[in-house]
């Protein structure tokens, strides 16, 4: 067969277009080049210009890769958008070149445009008139040159990069070269953008089409007979196999390895260096969609394989090509993986337009029933219709099933005010899950859409546990949860979480409470089936129920008893409380503000999580005596929250830990902390000096305390959001664990032995007792010095308040209970920085 009528015009047998020769008029005469119109033209002296332009252009591109400085861009967001959309456009042109290989009957402008795209994206060397530099128009030589273009370019770029690092070159060059990892990433980006092209070129030798005499010839070079191992096709297959291993197989293997090792690479000490090498796979996508680069690569591989392996079945090619592109659209629309909004819109729009093009080209397809497997295509279409009917029936049956048999219920629904009991709710869930295997609903973990909140209470909850804190009944969403539970007879278990007892509101106070909501907020509840009258009735009924008690400032044993009481009150079983055991040593201590209930709950959460990570006992000292007497403390995790630095117990505990020998290492954990300025430390020293007479036997504790605070705050505080989702907390815990480092057995034993030696020596014991008494005296001094102070005073506060804190809560009183965890992460990261 011939590629076109222009190359093999009608006439005598063996006649070809002007300047052509060989079987199927496949080659140009020596000294001729492809004209693009079917004939071959004679080479002239000026025909060297296209090749000369390429020789000049390619080194310029290589130089730009060696000396480009991406960090100099004023807007990285805009740069990523430009690069991503450019890569999508290149991939779309390659997809069009793959579609152009289908047997469409095109003519006019559309045929010329598709042919131009095909030449442009397939590295067609005839565009630079390569035949004028060859003795003969040999397809094997052309194919080898095509396959070597990228390796030669990469090698040339590496040589330039190496030369740019020479000292003699750097003295004259005004630009800074990129690192080797950045250069590898840029070459990887080029290869990823041209992946369809490289795969199509690699498979050219296996794209064969049947001839009328029963033989087959290459689709691109019909003058070469396929499977002729004594001719040119043997060389073509060898080149093709080498290219398959070098391009699609090698690149896909690298992408799979990088994606599956991504988390390991990030956690490794050289993680940032390694990630800069693989930025072409990860940098363009959102962090939670880091694997989408592999999805894009697999999609592009299928786009290239379909026209290459199904040459004899064009109709099946169209069907599978449409299915692959549709799958890509669904993945992009469902995940929105690209880092910028414009890139997501561009990807979806390009894929949809290519789908429309395939559908529009359907009537123009030339089908020869002798060449296509009609039975196979009919079987596939029949299977698709049956699959469609089966899927519709399964969905209908499942909907009916869920209508009469609701999904598995939550044994406990934790209703709480996030600002006052967000950390406590997380602590309660973690402790309850230690006793029961049933699901516990916590909005930060289980809530996907806010509109489903009340429906979950009505139909998927066994017990609603409301954590009673000040102003908890003012929250409209909590009111809706309790009213929904009351209306549908879901048992409500109120838990008093206020030290000294929760004050029950009177009827008049309930009326006043509901007046704080706006008309829009009441309308939002009414749309969800919750009226104001129903809320009042639910509140009055809840106040008549017996209250359970959660001692937030109590000991671990009292909290364990409270957890068991909650489980028993929900009728989920009878358990004995898990009593904390007395440990011989505590390698890790967690220090927090014991006057802040949420800070205490945050410390309890960290204690549970870090005990799981390290497998050791962890101490939360309640006083300086606890911190001084504990054995084996090697690391101290400091929970920084609001007003932490001005709490006397926290200050004395920190000083007691710093005076231990060996001295432990301190690591800060940021839980919404406001970092102080220099005036804050000066104020502490001044107030401590003024109250020195209250502790005459103490050392000059003001200077000791401020120096310790500055030491702790000098290091980067890792964020931890106590009321965030479990996935986010696990991510933050990994960062905290990396910051704290490993806990060696020898280090712990050395500290325990050191403490025991101190106890055995009378002189040292007397000195320790003197220091302990001084620390106890310090706590009295701190209490007097910090009286009336707060870092968040409305007038003239100490510390740097951040502007986002006022933006976060301004005008959001109605939905702050269900803020996005991502905002919490960004907030904590900004505080840390």
């Amino acid at each position: 067969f011939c590629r076109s009528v222009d190359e093999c015009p009608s006439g005598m047998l063996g006649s070809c277009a002007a300047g052509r020769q060989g079987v199927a008029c496949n080659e140009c005469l020596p000294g001729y080049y492809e004209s693009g119109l079917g004939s071959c033209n004679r080479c002239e002296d000026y025909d060297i210009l296209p090749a000369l332009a390429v020789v000049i252009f390619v080194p310029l591109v290589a130089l730009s890769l060696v000396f480009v400085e991406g960090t100099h861009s004023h807007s990285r967001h805009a740069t990523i958008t430009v690069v991503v959309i450019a890569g999508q456009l290149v991939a779309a042109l390659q997809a069009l070149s793959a579609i152009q290989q289908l047997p469409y009957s095109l003519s006019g402008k559309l045929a010329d445009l598709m042919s131009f795209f095909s030449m442009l994206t397939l590295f067609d060397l005839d565009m630079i008139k390569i035949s004028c530099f060859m003795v003969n128009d040999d397809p094997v030589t052309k194919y080898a040159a095509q396959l070597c273009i990228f390796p030669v370019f990469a090698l040339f770029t590496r040589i330039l990069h190496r030369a740019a690092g020479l000292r003699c070159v750097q003295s004259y060059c005004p630009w800074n070269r990129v690192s080797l990892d950045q250069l590898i990433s840029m070459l990887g980006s080029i290869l990823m953008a041209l992946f369809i092209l490289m795969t199509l070129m690699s498979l050219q030798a296996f794209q064969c089409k049947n001839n009328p005499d029963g033989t087959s010839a290459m689709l691109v070079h019909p003058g070469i007979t396929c499977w002729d191992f004594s001719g040119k096709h043997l060389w073509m297959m060898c080149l093709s196999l080498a290219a398959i291993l070098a391009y699609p197989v090698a690149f896909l293997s690298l992408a799979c390895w990088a994606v599956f090792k991504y988390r390991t690479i990030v956690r490794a000490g050289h993680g940032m260096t390694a990630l800069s090498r693989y930025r072409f796979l990860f940098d363009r996508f959102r962090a939670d969609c880091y694997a989408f680069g592999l999805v894009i690569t697999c999609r592009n591989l299928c786009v290239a394989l379909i026209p290459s392996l199904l040459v004899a079945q064009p109709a099946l090619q169209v069907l599978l090509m449409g299915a692959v592109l549709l799958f890509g659209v669904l993945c992009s629309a469902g995940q929105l993986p690209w880092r910028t909004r414009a890139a997501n819109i561009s990807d979806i729009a390009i894929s949809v337009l290519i789908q429309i093009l395939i559908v529009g080209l359907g009537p123009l397809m030339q089908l020869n029933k002798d060449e296509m497997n009609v039975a196979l295509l009919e079987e596939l279409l029949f299977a698709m219709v049956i699959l469609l009917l089966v899927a519709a029936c399964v969905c209908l049956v499942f909907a009916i099933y869920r209508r009469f048999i609701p999904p598995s219920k939550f044994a406990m629904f934790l209703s709480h005010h996030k600002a006052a009991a967000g950390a406590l709710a997380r602590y309660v869930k973690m402790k309850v899950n230690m006793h029961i295997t049933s699901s516990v609903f916590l909005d930060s973990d289980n809530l996907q859409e806010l509109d489903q909140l009340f429906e979950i209470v009505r139909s998927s909850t066994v017990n609603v546990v409301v954590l009673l804190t000040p102003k908890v009944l003012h929250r409209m969403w909590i009111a809706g949860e309790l009213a929904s539970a009351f209306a549908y007879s879901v048992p409500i278990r109120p838990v008093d979480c206020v030290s000294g007892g929760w004050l029950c509101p009177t009827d008049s106070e309930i009326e006043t409470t509901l007046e704080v909501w706006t008309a829009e907020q009441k309308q939002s509840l009414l749309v969800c089936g919750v009226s104001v009258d129903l809320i009042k009735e639910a509140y009055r009924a809840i106040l008549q129920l017996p209250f359970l008690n959660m001692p937030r400032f109590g000991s671990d044993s009292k909290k364990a008893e409270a957890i068991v009481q909650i489980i028993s009150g929900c009728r989920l079983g009878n358990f004995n409380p898990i009593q904390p055991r007395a440990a011989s040593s505590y390698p890790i201590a967690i220090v927090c503000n014991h006057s802040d209930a949420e800070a205490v709950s945050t410390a309890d959460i960290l204690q549970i999580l870090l005990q799981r990570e390290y497998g050791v006992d962890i101490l939360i000292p309640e006083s300086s005596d606890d911190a001084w007497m504990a054995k084996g403390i090697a690391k101290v995790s400091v929970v920084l929250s609001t007003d932490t630095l001005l709490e006397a117990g926290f200050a004395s505990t920190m000083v007691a830990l710093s005076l231990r020998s060996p001295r432990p290492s301190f690591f800060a954990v940021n839980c919404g902390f406001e970092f102080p300025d220099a005036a804050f430390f000066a104020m502490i020293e001044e107030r401590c000096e003024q109250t020195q007479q209250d502790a005459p036997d103490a050392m000059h504790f003001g200077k000791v305390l401020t120096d310790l605070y500055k030491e702790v705050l000098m290091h980067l505080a890792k964020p931890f959001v106590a009321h965030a989702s479990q996935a986010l907390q696990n991510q933050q815990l990994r960062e905290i664990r990396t910051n704290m480092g490993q806990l060696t057995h020898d280090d712990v034993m050395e500290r325990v032995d050191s403490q025991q030696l101190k106890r055995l020596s009378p002189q040292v014991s007397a000195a320790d007792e003197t220091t302990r008494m001084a620390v106890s005296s310090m706590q009295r001094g701190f209490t007097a010095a910090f009286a009336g102070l707060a870092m968040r005073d409305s007038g003239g506060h100490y510390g740097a308040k951040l502007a986002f804190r006022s933006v976060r809560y301004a005008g959001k009183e109605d939905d702050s209970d269900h803020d996005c965890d991502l905002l919490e992460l960004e907030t904590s990261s900004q505080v840390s920085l």
Side-chain angles (χ1 to χ4, degrees), residues 62 69 139 168 239 308 394 448 543 586 621 630 640 706 762:
E69 283 285 354
C168 58
L239 292 172
S308 301
V394 169
Q448 301 296 328
L543 297 179
Y586 296 94
L640 297 177
T706 54

Side-chain angles (χ1 to χ4, degrees), residues 17-167:
R20 287 195 167 275
Q21 66 175 357
V23 179
C25 304
N26 186 54
E27 304 170 5
C28 290
L29 294 172
Y32 284 74
Y33 67 90
E34 290 271 2
S35 66
L37 300 176
S39 61
C40 295
N41 297 338
R42 184 182 297 275
C43 297
E44 304 293 345
D45 294 339
Y46 53 80
D47 289 328
I48 196 176
L49 294 178
L52 183 62
V54 172
V55 171
I56 297 174
F57 177 74
V58 171
L60 292 178
V61 174
L63 284 172
S64 67
L65 293 180
V66 172
F67 293 105
V68 67
E69 283 285 354
T71 55
H72 287 175
S73 174
H74 294 285
S75 177
R76 186 171 183 269
H77 187 277
T79 303
I80 290 177
T81 303
V82 172
V83 172
V84 168
I85 294 180
Q88 292 172 353
L89 182 60
V90 172
L93 293 178
Q94 296 172 74
L96 290 178
S97 68
I99 294 173
Q100 195 265 343
Q101 296 185 14
L102 299 177
Y104 291 117
S105 178
L106 304 178
S107 61
K109 299 178 180 179
L110 181 59
D112 296 338
L113 185 63
M114 296 291 286
S115 299
F116 174 75
F117 286 155
S118 179
M119 290 188 298
L120 188 65
T121 56
L122 285 177
F123 286 167
D124 193 345
L125 297 181
D126 288 324
M127 293 184 63
I128 62 173
K129 304 177 181 179
I130 189 65
S131 300
C132 296
F133 303 92
M134 300 169 58
V135 178
N136 294 311
D137 186 15
D138 184 18
V140 178
T141 305
K142 283 185 179 180
Y143 186 52
Q146 279 182 313
L147 296 177
C148 291
I149 289 177
F150 182 80
V152 171
F153 174 77
L155 179 62
F156 180 72
T157 305
R158 173 58 180 149
I159 293 174
L160 285 180
H161 181 267
R162 184 71 175 175
L166 299 177
R167 189 170 299 177

